[in-house]
Amino acid sequence: MSMSHLYGTDGEDGVEMENFEVSDWDLQNEFNPHRQRHRQTKEEATYGVWAERDSDEERPSFGGKRSRDYSAPVNFISAGLKKSAAEDVSEEDSDEDEKPVKQEEIPKEFVPKKLKTGGNFKPSQKGFVGGTKSFVDFGSWERHTKGIGQKLLQKMGYVPGRGLGKNAQGIINPIEAKQRKGKGAVGAYGSERTSQSLQDFPVVDSEEEAEEEFQKELSQWRKDPNGGKKKPKYSYKTVEELKAKGRINKQLSAPQKELSQVKVIDMTGREQKVYYSYSQISHKHNIPDDSPQQPLGKDAKPQGFALPELEHNLQLLIDITEQEIIQNDRQLQYERDMVVNLTHEIQKMSEVLSHEEKAISNLSRVLEMVEECERRMQPSCENPLTLDECAKIFETLQDKYYEEYRMSDRVDLAVAIVYPLMKDYFKNWDPLKDCTYGTEIIAKWKSLLENDQLLSHGGQDLSTDAFHRLMWEVWMPYVRNIVAQWQPRNCGSMVDFLDSWVNVVPVWILDNILDQLIFPKLQKEVENWNPLTDTVPIHSWIHPWLPLMQARLEPLYSPIRNKLANALQKWHPSDSSAKLILQPWKDVFTPGSWEAFMVKNIVPKLGMCLNELIINPHQQHMDAFYWVIDWEGMISVSSLVGLLEKHFFPKWLQVLCSWLSNSPNYEEITKWYLGWKSMFSDQVLAHPSIKDKFNEALDIMNRAVSSSVGGYMQPGARENIAYLTHTERRKDFQYEAMQERREAENMAQRGIGMAASSVPMNFKDLIQTKAEEHNIVFMPVIGKRHEGKQLYTFGRIVIYIDRGVVFVQGEKTWVPTSLQSLIDMAK
């Protein structure tokens, strides 16, 4: 298909000219995919607009090659209209008269400036500010087509009258063209921006930056006025710059400095070359070569002055001078650092010297004081030294010359001066008569002589502590002598003596006195003690040692129990002296050993006594019962309850049954019941077994009055017995509630070592706390209930809780019980 419709023909010259007007063919084939296109050659695809053509003035066209008149001038046709010949002639004349415009002659307002792209546009505005022309005729050429372009734009969201883009930031009016005055390049005649362009893209205010950029771009096209000859540039380095370079490239050690001056012979080339340092090897390319010079080319100009050897030597001298300057600077810096270091050393040495002078003067004064003490220690001295004066001298040494006093050998000094005075001070001392004698003076010497670093007193090294050695060698012999003469049964004076010295004597010396001197004497005396013949009770001379000896007396308790057990073999409960002898040992022996001793030696005797008790309501002898009840505080409640269950209550209930079967007087039976119950303490009555026995007696009486067997029934007997039963059981519940309330209050006050948040808030928590205190397992029984209440195991006992009352499973029914009774049953 021919594209001659795109080109017009000049009738005069017959030269085809490109026609840029929009024709009907353009409108019809705008969206025709099968229209003929211009195919690029391989060279055009590779180089683009820089591809070679027949002439630089030739403009690439959409058609094939065509003939041109290369003698014709360049024509610039605007909008595809060719100018007339007259206009061309006038323009040629005007071009000849034009002179090249220099940058200095261009007005500043016509210099191209940077655009602020999008600077006048905001996302909220619907178009550019410069879009003032009407868009009524926009796309009017589509009347010649099917209007596919407008339809596609509308499908993509285009609104007529607004710009393209997401925010309608595109321009509305087409780009306007502006004709230049002459044929100069772009920008040669000033700014070519139209009024619409200035409104849409305002210029940047920084004109200096635009001027600088314009000068830079203009200088790229300007011919060098010097004709290609550049003046040589010289670089100068100051001494300070060389010093700074040397500091940066420092890190040269002594061996490296020596290597930098080593002579190096290079044999890698045709000829051997000599270098004076390794650093010069890196500059080999600067050394001129002796190879023959290459022949000069056609355009090469012969050098007028070429002395490579001289240049090399000058460069070598410069490098050596630079190295010397750097080395001298480093040496100078080293010397300065050495001066600063030596200055600090001088200051330190002066401080050490002053400190040593002060120490020497202090030591000389200390020596004078010690020599004065030795002089006054001589027998021929008129003013002998006393212990108080010696203490004052040592206090002066400790206060004024503390360092020298701590560094000195105080042991030897104390042995030479203090020990003789101390022996003379305690020469006539009797510890048992005057137990506090010397405590103040010894306490003073303790602060003066004791070594603060010795915190552990076990296995002391007497050569390191003067005070311990003083006490061991001077004070201890007097104590040994007095303990050897001491009688263990007269313990008061010895206990007072050790109590008064316990804070002064070293711990290890006090342990030695108690273990090696006091305990053997007590042990021997216990072996000789006979509880049947000795009038002085053993606790009177053993118990005073408990605060001092504590666990050291444990080995004595076993022989004491054996002797007491032997003495109780022929004892009868009617003898109350046994209780007086045993009662002080209850809190001394461990609970287990005490209970075992009671069960073995006392409980059987009490059981025999209860067996001998005869219960007679008409004539009752209570002595045997009183002998047993008197031991209530000595034996445990469980042991006492066991005695009563085994030896008392069977006979008591048997007498009650026989009395009820012989038409009794129920008032006398009631008094007899209440009288026996009043003989027991509240603690015994609170025990579940005792409660069961008395409740059993009440049940027997109730059955007796409710039975129709027999003849005459005392009037009101049934009501009296019922009232008695109700009253007694209500008292039991009230007592149990009071006991539990009291225990809860005591627990809340004590806290039992736990946080306030852990105080029991209900009765179940109280039971759980008590179980933890007594190491009893308290846990719910899974899947077991009684009348809708959860069952629990308290030890081996099954219980349930209802309205703050604990019920224990009995033989036939559930019995209410107190918390203390529950604990005793679980144990």
Side-chain angles (χ1 to χ4, degrees):
M1 177 180 177
S2 176
M3 298 184 66
S4 59
H5 62 279
L6 295 175
Y7 303 95
T9 304
D10 193 350
E12 299 177 1
D13 299 334
V15 179
E16 287 183 335
M17 305 299 294
E18 293 183 2
N19 189 356
F20 291 97
E21 288 184 346
V22 178
S23 62
D24 293 339
W25 186 92
D26 291 327
L27 297 177
Q28 293 175 2
N29 292 277
E30 176 65 24
F31 299 101
N32 183 11
H34 302 292
R35 70 181 185 276
Q36 184 178 359
R37 299 176 181 272
H38 169 67
R39 296 185 179 275
Q40 286 184 333
T41 64
K42 182 177 181 181
E43 189 175 14
E44 288 177 351
T46 303
Y47 298 101
V49 296
W50 288 280
E52 293 185 0
R53 299 179 179 86
D54 295 340
S55 175
D56 293 339
E57 302 296 333
E58 180 183 358
R59 179 171 178 167
S61 62
F62 297 101
K65 291 184 179 180
R66 57 190 182 278
S67 60
R68 279 185 178 275
D69 185 8
Y70 294 102
S71 61
V74 177
N75 295 329
F76 292 88
I77 302 173
S78 176
L81 300 178
K82 188 175 183 301
K83 294 184 180 180
S84 61
E87 291 176 353
D88 291 339
V89 173
S90 62
E91 287 182 1
E92 290 176 1
D93 295 337
S94 62
D95 291 339
E96 292 176 359
D97 297 337
E98 286 180 357
K99 295 180 180 180
V101 182
K102 296 183 180 181
Q103 178 65 23
E104 293 78 12
E105 298 175 2
I106 299 175
K108 193 171 184 179
E109 60 270 17
F110 296 108
V111 175
K113 302 174 182 179
K114 285 190 175 182
L115 297 178
K116 186 185 292 183
T117 57
N120 202 31
F121 177 77
K122 298 179 182 178
S124 58
Q125 84 182 43
K126 299 181 178 180
F128 278 86
V129 178
T132 56
K133 293 187 177 182
S134 175
F135 52 84
V136 177
D137 297 335
F138 177 74
S140 57
W141 45 270
E142 283 194 337
R143 63 179 177 271
H144 305 287
T145 65
K146 296 181 180 180
I148 186 64
Q150 190 75 11
K151 293 178 182 179
L152 291 175
L153 286 175
Q154 289 179 357
K155 285 183 179 180
M156 286 185 263
Y158 171 72
V159 179
R162 297 180 59 184
L164 297 178
K166 179 180 180 180
N167 299 317
Q169 67 268 26
I171 62 175
I172 299 176
N173 297 323
I175 299 175
E176 297 181 5
K178 184 174 182 180
Q179 186 178 0
R180 300 191 192 98
K181 298 179 180 178
K183 297 182 179 181
V186 176
Y189 303 100
S191 176
E192 297 185 3
R193 300 185 61 184
T194 61
S195 59
Q196 176 185 346
S197 173
L198 290 174
Q199 291 181 6
D200 291 342
F201 302 97
V203 297
V204 181
D205 296 331
S206 57
E207 298 180 355
E208 296 180 358
E209 186 177 355
E211 175 71 20
E212 182 179 354
E213 185 176 354
F214 177 75
Q215 292 291 346
K216 184 177 179 181
E217 294 175 355
L218 188 63
S219 62
Q220 296 177 357
W221 301 95
R222 184 181 297 172
K223 187 176 180 181
D224 191 358
N226 297 328
K229 294 182 180 180
K230 296 183 178 180
K231 294 182 179 180
K233 295 183 179 180
Y234 300 99
S235 61
Y236 301 95
K237 292 183 181 179
T238 62
V239 177
E240 298 300 329
E241 292 177 352
L242 288 176
K243 291 180 181 180
K245 178 182 178 182
R247 294 190 188 98
I248 294 174
N249 300 329
K250 210 172 180 181
Q251 313 299 331
L252 280 177
S253 59
Q256 291 174 332
K257 293 180 182 178
E258 295 176 359
L259 292 176
S260 64
Q261 300 177 359
V262 173
K263 182 178 180 181
V264 181
I265 300 176
D266 184 9
M267 302 290 291
T268 58
R270 290 184 305 165
E271 299 178 358
Q272 73 174 21
K273 299 177 183 179
V274 179
Y275 303 104
Y276 294 97
S277 64
Y278 285 108
S279 61
Q280 292 183 358
I281 297 178
S282 60
H283 303 292
K284 286 196 304 182
H285 57 279
N286 294 333
I287 301 176
D289 197 355
D290 296 337
S291 59
Q293 296 181 357
Q294 299 293 333
L296 299 176
K298 296 180 180 180
D299 299 334
K301 296 181 180 179
Q303 295 183 0
F305 185 78
L307 295 174
E309 292 83 359
L310 180 58
E311 293 178 359
H312 168 68
N313 293 337
L314 291 176
Q315 184 64 36
L316 185 62
L317 289 175
I318 291 173
D319 294 341
I320 293 173
T321 305
E322 289 181 357
Q323 292 296 327
E324 289 179 355
I325 292 174
I326 293 173
Q327 292 295 335
N328 292 336
D329 179 63
R330 291 177 180 173
Q331 185 67 25
L332 179 61
Q333 186 64 35
Y334 172 77
E335 298 295 338
R336 288 175 180 173
D337 295 341
M338 184 62 69
V339 169
V340 174
N341 189 16
L342 293 176
T343 304
H344 290 305
E345 290 292 333
I346 291 173
Q347 293 178 357
K348 290 181 180 179
M349 290 297 107
S350 61
E351 292 177 0
V352 172
L353 182 61
S354 61
H355 180 72
E356 295 294 336
E357 291 177 353
K358 184 179 179 181
I360 291 172
S361 63
N362 291 339
L363 288 175
S364 61
R365 294 174 187 172
V366 171
L367 184 60
E368 291 176 0
M369 297 176 68
V370 173
E371 290 176 351
E372 179 66 19
C373 291
E374 291 181 351
R375 187 185 62 80
R376 295 180 64 181
M377 288 290 295
Q378 299 298 327
S380 60
C381 181
E382 298 179 355
N383 185 17
L385 184 66
T386 62
L387 194 59
D388 292 336
E389 294 176 351
C390 185
K392 292 181 181 179
I393 292 173
F394 272 78
E395 287 179 357
T396 304
L397 291 175
Q398 190 178 25
D399 295 339
K400 294 185 178 181
Y401 311 105
Y402 181 79
E403 294 295 333
E404 292 77 8
Y405 180 75
R406 290 296 175 187
M407 292 171 60
S408 63
D409 192 356
R410 287 174 286 173
V411 177
D412 296 337
L413 187 63
V415 169
I417 299 177
V418 182
Y419 286 15
L421 298 176
M422 193 68 69
K423 289 180 180 179
D424 186 64
Y425 183 79
F426 287 104
K427 182 172 56 177
N428 300 321
W429 176 49
D430 187 358
L432 298 181
K433 293 181 180 180
D434 189 2
C435 60
T436 59
Y437 178 79
T439 53
E440 295 181 359
I441 192 69
I442 292 295
K444 184 184 295 184
W445 281 106
K446 181 179 181 180
S447 62
L448 294 173
L449 298 179
E450 190 173 24
N451 194 346
D452 298 338
Q453 298 178 354
L454 297 178
L455 301 178
S456 176
H457 299 285
Q460 289 294 324
D461 185 6
L462 296 178
S463 62
T464 58
D465 195 288
F467 176 72
H468 290 190
R469 184 174 176 182
L470 171 67
M471 296 298 294
W472 183 256
E473 296 182 358
V474 177
W475 182 82
M476 194 64 182
Y478 295 99
V479 177
R480 290 195 190 97
N481 293 333
I482 201 64
V483 171
Q485 303 171 6
W486 167 67
Q487 293 297 326
R489 299 199 179 191
N490 299 326
C491 63
S493 58
M494 184 60 70
V495 172
D496 294 339
F497 163 68
L498 293 178
D499 282 337
S500 59
W501 284 88
V502 69
N503 295 324
V504 180
V505 178
V507 176
W508 67 276
I509 294 180
L510 182 62
D511 293 341
N512 181 271
I513 294 172
L514 296 176
D515 294 336
Q516 304 297 329
L517 302 179
I518 302 298
F519 182 77
K521 299 278 286 187
L522 293 176
Q523 189 176 19
K524 186 177 180 180
E525 192 66 23
V526 168
E527 292 176 356
N528 297 330
W529 171 68
N530 188 356
L532 297 177
T533 59
D534 286 340
T535 58
V536 179
I538 189 173
H539 65 268
S540 62
W541 48 273
I542 292 293
H543 289 185
W545 290 104
L546 288 173
L548 285 173
M549 303 189 71
Q550 296 178 356
R552 291 186 178 92
L553 296 176
E554 285 287 344
L556 300 179
Y557 296 155
S558 180
I560 290 174
R561 285 194 294 266
N562 293 333
K563 288 181 177 290
L564 290 174
N566 293 332
L568 291 172
Q569 288 180 358
K570 298 181 181 180
W571 168 77
H572 190 269
S574 60
D575 185 5
S576 62
S577 61
K579 182 181 178 182
L580 297 176
I581 294 174
L582 295 176
Q583 189 171 10
W585 292 98
K586 181 181 179 181
D587 297 330
V588 176
F589 295 157
T590 59
S593 61
W594 173 259
E595 183 65 21
F597 181 81
M598 289 287 107
V599 170
K600 182 179 179 181
N601 300 287
I602 302 298
V603 173
K605 302 284 186 179
L606 298 179
M608 293 172 60
C609 186
L610 282 177
N611 278 334
E612 298 173 358
L613 177 65
I614 298 174
I615 299 175
N616 186 1
H618 302 289
Q619 188 178 0
Q620 184 66 54
H621 296 283
M622 301 293 295
D623 294 337
F625 183 80
Y626 290 148
W627 295 339
V628 175
I629 293 299
D630 193 34
W631 284 88
E632 181 182 349
M634 299 292 291
I635 63 176
S636 63
V637 176
S638 59
S639 299
L640 181 58
V641 170
L643 286 174
L644 294 174
E645 284 183 334
K646 185 177 181 180
H647 303 288
F648 173 75
F649 278 105
K651 296 188 293 184
W652 186 76
L653 291 175
Q654 185 179 0
V655 170
L656 177 62
C657 292
S658 61
W659 192 3
L660 290 173
S661 62
N662 295 321
S663 301
N665 185 352
Y666 286 98
E667 292 182 0
E668 292 180 358
I669 291 177
T670 302
K671 291 179 181 180
W672 179 79
Y673 170 86
L674 294 176
W676 275 109
K677 192 173 183 180
S678 63
M679 300 299 293
F680 298 97
S681 64
D682 294 339
Q683 189 176 6
V684 176
L685 291 174
H687 196 276
S689 300
I690 302 299
K691 283 184 180 180
D692 292 342
K693 296 300 181 182
F694 282 104
N695 289 331
E696 186 178 352
L698 290 175
D699 293 339
I700 292 172
M701 289 187 286
N702 284 320
R703 286 197 299 268
V705 298
S706 61
S707 176
S708 60
V709 179
Y712 175 74
M713 175 63 65
Q714 183 180 353
R718 184 177 301 176
E719 291 77 5
N720 291 335
I721 297 300
Y723 176 75
L724 174 64
T725 303
H726 177 73
T727 303
E728 291 300 315
R729 291 182 177 176
R730 185 178 62 182
K731 287 180 180 178
D732 292 342
F733 283 115
Q734 289 178 352
Y735 176 77
E736 292 174 0
M738 182 178 64
Q739 287 294 109
E740 293 172 358
R741 191 182 306 110
R742 187 181 297 113
E743 290 177 0
E745 291 176 356
N746 293 336
M747 186 185 303
Q749 292 175 0
R750 294 195 312 265
I752 317 177
M754 60 180 64
S757 59
S758 62
V759 174
M761 300 303 295
N762 51 36
F763 192 61
K764 178 185 173 184
D765 294 339
L766 177 62
I767 295 175
Q768 185 174 0
T769 305
K770 284 292 184 180
E772 292 175 357
E773 290 180 10
H774 296 85
N775 295 325
I776 300 173
V777 178
F778 175 68
M779 59 183 296
V781 180
I782 301 175
K784 297 292 184 180
R785 291 181 176 272
H786 177 72
E787 297 180 356
K789 304 295 189 299
Q790 175 67 49
L791 296 182
Y792 299 90
T793 56
F794 191 84
R796 296 182 180 180
I797 305 172
V798 180
I799 64 172
Y800 75 89
I801 304 171
D802 185 15
R803 299 179 183 179
V805 179
V806 180
F807 290 86
V808 181
Q809 187 177 17
E811 296 179 358
K812 298 181 180 180
T813 182
W814 294 85
V815 182
T817 183
S818 64
L819 187 57
Q820 186 61 40
S821 302
L822 180 64
I823 295 171
D824 295 337
M825 292 168 62
K827 288 185 175 180

PDB file of all heavy atoms in Angstrom, residues 746-762:
ATOM      1  N   ASN A 746      -7.499 -17.677 118.452  1.00  0.00           N
ATOM      2  CA  ASN A 746      -6.061 -17.770 118.730  1.00  0.00           C
ATOM      3  C   ASN A 746      -5.262 -17.924 117.439  1.00  0.00           C
ATOM      4  O   ASN A 746      -4.190 -17.332 117.285  1.00  0.00           O
ATOM      5  CB  ASN A 746      -5.782 -18.951 119.660  1.00  0.00           C
ATOM      6  CG  ASN A 746      -6.373 -18.742 121.045  1.00  0.00           C
ATOM      7  OD1 ASN A 746      -6.589 -17.603 121.471  1.00  0.00           O
ATOM      8  ND2 ASN A 746      -6.653 -19.825 121.754  1.00  0.00           N
ATOM      9  N   MET A 747      -5.798 -18.697 116.539  1.00  0.00           N
ATOM     10  CA  MET A 747      -5.109 -18.889 115.266  1.00  0.00           C
ATOM     11  C   MET A 747      -5.049 -17.584 114.471  1.00  0.00           C
ATOM     12  O   MET A 747      -4.040 -17.251 113.853  1.00  0.00           O
ATOM     13  CB  MET A 747      -5.829 -19.962 114.453  1.00  0.00           C
ATOM     14  CG  MET A 747      -5.099 -20.350 113.163  1.00  0.00           C
ATOM     15  SD  MET A 747      -6.058 -21.507 112.183  1.00  0.00           S
ATOM     16  CE  MET A 747      -6.275 -22.813 113.375  1.00  0.00           C
ATOM     17  N   ALA A 748      -6.143 -16.827 114.496  1.00  0.00           N
ATOM     18  CA  ALA A 748      -6.157 -15.550 113.783  1.00  0.00           C
ATOM     19  C   ALA A 748      -5.179 -14.565 114.408  1.00  0.00           C
ATOM     20  O   ALA A 748      -4.558 -13.770 113.706  1.00  0.00           O
ATOM     21  CB  ALA A 748      -7.569 -14.965 113.789  1.00  0.00           C
ATOM     22  N   GLN A 749      -5.025 -14.597 115.742  1.00  0.00           N
ATOM     23  CA  GLN A 749      -4.104 -13.674 116.398  1.00  0.00           C
ATOM     24  C   GLN A 749      -2.643 -14.071 116.155  1.00  0.00           C
ATOM     25  O   GLN A 749      -1.802 -13.234 115.875  1.00  0.00           O
ATOM     26  CB  GLN A 749      -4.392 -13.630 117.899  1.00  0.00           C
ATOM     27  CG  GLN A 749      -5.740 -12.984 118.247  1.00  0.00           C
ATOM     28  CD  GLN A 749      -6.041 -13.061 119.732  1.00  0.00           C
ATOM     29  OE1 GLN A 749      -5.254 -13.591 120.507  1.00  0.00           O
ATOM     30  NE2 GLN A 749      -7.197 -12.530 120.116  1.00  0.00           N
ATOM     31  N   ARG A 750      -2.379 -15.349 116.277  1.00  0.00           N
ATOM     32  CA  ARG A 750      -0.998 -15.794 116.091  1.00  0.00           C
ATOM     33  C   ARG A 750      -0.589 -15.730 114.625  1.00  0.00           C
ATOM     34  O   ARG A 750       0.555 -15.397 114.314  1.00  0.00           O
ATOM     35  CB  ARG A 750      -0.828 -17.238 116.580  1.00  0.00           C
ATOM     36  CG  ARG A 750      -1.002 -17.395 118.083  1.00  0.00           C
ATOM     37  CD  ARG A 750      -0.459 -18.749 118.508  1.00  0.00           C
ATOM     38  NE  ARG A 750      -0.928 -19.821 117.665  1.00  0.00           N
ATOM     39  CZ  ARG A 750      -1.994 -20.566 117.949  1.00  0.00           C
ATOM     40  NH1 ARG A 750      -2.724 -20.305 119.024  1.00  0.00           N
ATOM     41  NH2 ARG A 750      -2.355 -21.550 117.155  1.00  0.00           N
ATOM     42  N   GLY A 751      -1.504 -16.091 113.766  1.00  0.00           N
ATOM     43  CA  GLY A 751      -1.177 -16.160 112.347  1.00  0.00           C
ATOM     44  C   GLY A 751      -0.486 -17.455 111.977  1.00  0.00           C
ATOM     45  O   GLY A 751      -0.420 -17.832 110.812  1.00  0.00           O
ATOM     46  N   ILE A 752       0.042 -18.153 112.981  1.00  0.00           N
ATOM     47  CA  ILE A 752       0.718 -19.443 112.808  1.00  0.00           C
ATOM     48  C   ILE A 752       1.762 -19.344 111.693  1.00  0.00           C
ATOM     49  O   ILE A 752       1.969 -20.253 110.905  1.00  0.00           O
ATOM     50  CB  ILE A 752      -0.280 -20.581 112.522  1.00  0.00           C
ATOM     51  CG1 ILE A 752      -1.493 -20.469 113.445  1.00  0.00           C
ATOM     52  CG2 ILE A 752       0.358 -21.950 112.765  1.00  0.00           C
ATOM     53  CD1 ILE A 752      -2.558 -21.488 113.191  1.00  0.00           C
ATOM     54  N   GLY A 753       2.396 -18.174 111.643  1.00  0.00           N
ATOM     55  CA  GLY A 753       3.493 -18.018 110.699  1.00  0.00           C
ATOM     56  C   GLY A 753       3.063 -17.920 109.253  1.00  0.00           C
ATOM     57  O   GLY A 753       3.886 -18.057 108.349  1.00  0.00           O
ATOM     58  N   MET A 754       1.777 -17.707 108.999  1.00  0.00           N
ATOM     59  CA  MET A 754       1.323 -17.642 107.608  1.00  0.00           C
ATOM     60  C   MET A 754       0.756 -16.250 107.320  1.00  0.00           C
ATOM     61  O   MET A 754       0.521 -15.460 108.225  1.00  0.00           O
ATOM     62  CB  MET A 754       0.270 -18.722 107.326  1.00  0.00           C
ATOM     63  CG  MET A 754      -0.976 -18.604 108.177  1.00  0.00           C
ATOM     64  SD  MET A 754      -2.160 -19.902 107.798  1.00  0.00           S
ATOM     65  CE  MET A 754      -1.261 -21.350 108.278  1.00  0.00           C
ATOM     66  N   ALA A 755       0.538 -15.969 106.072  1.00  0.00           N
ATOM     67  CA  ALA A 755       0.029 -14.665 105.648  1.00  0.00           C
ATOM     68  C   ALA A 755      -1.423 -14.514 106.045  1.00  0.00           C
ATOM     69  O   ALA A 755      -2.136 -15.474 106.335  1.00  0.00           O
ATOM     70  CB  ALA A 755       0.169 -14.524 104.127  1.00  0.00           C
ATOM     71  N   ALA A 756      -1.860 -13.249 106.080  1.00  0.00           N
ATOM     72  CA  ALA A 756      -3.240 -12.980 106.493  1.00  0.00           C
ATOM     73  C   ALA A 756      -4.246 -13.567 105.512  1.00  0.00           C
ATOM     74  O   ALA A 756      -5.353 -13.930 105.883  1.00  0.00           O
ATOM     75  CB  ALA A 756      -3.452 -11.475 106.620  1.00  0.00           C
ATOM     76  N   SER A 757      -3.839 -13.668 104.254  1.00  0.00           N
ATOM     77  CA  SER A 757      -4.760 -14.206 103.256  1.00  0.00           C
ATOM     78  C   SER A 757      -5.026 -15.696 103.447  1.00  0.00           C
ATOM     79  O   SER A 757      -6.008 -16.222 102.941  1.00  0.00           O
ATOM     80  CB  SER A 757      -4.207 -13.967 101.857  1.00  0.00           C
ATOM     81  OG  SER A 757      -2.945 -14.598 101.738  1.00  0.00           O
ATOM     82  N   SER A 758      -4.105 -16.382 104.159  1.00  0.00           N
ATOM     83  CA  SER A 758      -4.268 -17.823 104.351  1.00  0.00           C
ATOM     84  C   SER A 758      -5.008 -18.179 105.632  1.00  0.00           C
ATOM     85  O   SER A 758      -5.087 -19.347 105.984  1.00  0.00           O
ATOM     86  CB  SER A 758      -2.887 -18.491 104.364  1.00  0.00           C
ATOM     87  OG  SER A 758      -2.115 -18.003 105.443  1.00  0.00           O
ATOM     88  N   VAL A 759      -5.521 -17.190 106.395  1.00  0.00           N
ATOM     89  CA  VAL A 759      -6.296 -17.486 107.601  1.00  0.00           C
ATOM     90  C   VAL A 759      -7.607 -18.163 107.180  1.00  0.00           C
ATOM     91  O   VAL A 759      -8.246 -17.740 106.218  1.00  0.00           O
ATOM     92  CB  VAL A 759      -6.585 -16.184 108.379  1.00  0.00           C
ATOM     93  CG1 VAL A 759      -7.511 -16.459 109.553  1.00  0.00           C
ATOM     94  CG2 VAL A 759      -5.290 -15.585 108.887  1.00  0.00           C
ATOM     95  N   PRO A 760      -8.017 -19.264 107.850  1.00  0.00           N
ATOM     96  CA  PRO A 760      -9.222 -19.978 107.423  1.00  0.00           C
ATOM     97  C   PRO A 760     -10.447 -19.076 107.424  1.00  0.00           C
ATOM     98  O   PRO A 760     -10.686 -18.329 108.372  1.00  0.00           O
ATOM     99  CB  PRO A 760      -9.364 -21.098 108.454  1.00  0.00           C
ATOM    100  CG  PRO A 760      -8.086 -21.162 109.198  1.00  0.00           C
ATOM    101  CD  PRO A 760      -7.369 -19.896 108.998  1.00  0.00           C
ATOM    102  N   MET A 761     -11.227 -19.159 106.379  1.00  0.00           N
ATOM    103  CA  MET A 761     -12.418 -18.331 106.252  1.00  0.00           C
ATOM    104  C   MET A 761     -13.682 -19.120 106.584  1.00  0.00           C
ATOM    105  O   MET A 761     -14.731 -18.544 106.782  1.00  0.00           O
ATOM    106  CB  MET A 761     -12.521 -17.789 104.825  1.00  0.00           C
ATOM    107  CG  MET A 761     -11.329 -16.932 104.414  1.00  0.00           C
ATOM    108  SD  MET A 761     -11.046 -15.537 105.516  1.00  0.00           S
ATOM    109  CE  MET A 761     -12.527 -14.600 105.232  1.00  0.00           C
ATOM    110  N   ASN A 762     -13.618 -20.458 106.659  1.00  0.00           N
ATOM    111  CA  ASN A 762     -14.781 -21.257 107.027  1.00  0.00           C
ATOM    112  C   ASN A 762     -14.313 -22.451 107.852  1.00  0.00           C
ATOM    113  O   ASN A 762     -13.113 -22.638 108.100  1.00  0.00           O
ATOM    114  CB  ASN A 762     -15.566 -21.698 105.790  1.00  0.00           C
ATOM    115  CG  ASN A 762     -14.671 -22.355 104.750  1.00  0.00           C
ATOM    116  OD1 ASN A 762     -13.737 -23.068 105.113  1.00  0.00           O
ATOM    117  ND2 ASN A 762     -14.952 -22.124 103.472  1.00  0.00           N
TER     118      ASN A 762
END
